[in-house]
Amino acid sequence: MEKQIRLEDVRTALYAMNVPAVQNFPEEALKNADFRFDLEMDERKVIALMSNLEIEKHILLPVNVLENIRMKNSVNTLIYSANSHLIDLDEQ
């Protein structure tokens, strides 16, 4: 069974991390949210978000996901890059 990260997963993880700005974004607008400017998250918090998603979904996100986020710092970049590169630990 292939696992994917969905926008709903990111929203839930952001709520769990107490990122208050997530409340300002309707469903589709969150995709285009910039981690630094819109959600007020520095790289350390983005890494924590990725770690939380890995634990929750039982996946492993390679380092190139973070490199892609550094180039375009958006939620959609995280989702697209993660789903392109994730490793399902249940299949290992």
Side-chain angles (χ1 to χ4, degrees):
M1 178 170 102
E2 185 177 349
K3 296 184 182 176
Q4 297 285 301
I5 292 178
R6 299 169 299 136
L7 183 60
E8 197 66 27
D9 300 321
V10 175
R11 183 180 293 278
T12 300
L14 289 170
Y15 275 122
M17 292 176 64
N18 294 317
V19 176
V22 72
Q23 299 173 24
N24 299 333
F25 292 90
E27 197 63 31
E28 288 300 309
L30 183 58
K31 278 186 178 180
N32 296 319
D34 181 281
F35 284 112
R36 180 172 305 277
F37 298 111
D38 297 327
L39 298 175
E40 300 173 4
M41 295 175 66
D42 59 15
E43 187 172 289
R44 182 182 52 82
K45 288 182 181 176
V46 173
I47 292 169
L49 171 64
M50 291 172 57
S51 178
N52 291 344
L53 288 168
E54 287 177 324
I55 292 166
E56 182 66 30
K57 302 292 280 185
H58 200 65
I59 56 174
L60 181 62
L61 298 174
V63 71
N64 60 339
V65 173
L66 184 58
E67 292 169 2
N68 290 341
I69 293 170
R70 285 178 180 145
M71 288 187 285
K72 186 165 190 222
N73 202 26
S74 73
V75 171
N76 198 43
T77 301
L78 167 63
I79 293 170
Y80 179 79
S81 182
N83 288 337
S84 296
H85 302 289
L86 67 82
I87 299 165
D88 187 343
L89 294 177
D90 289 335
E91 293 183 1
Q92 297 298 311

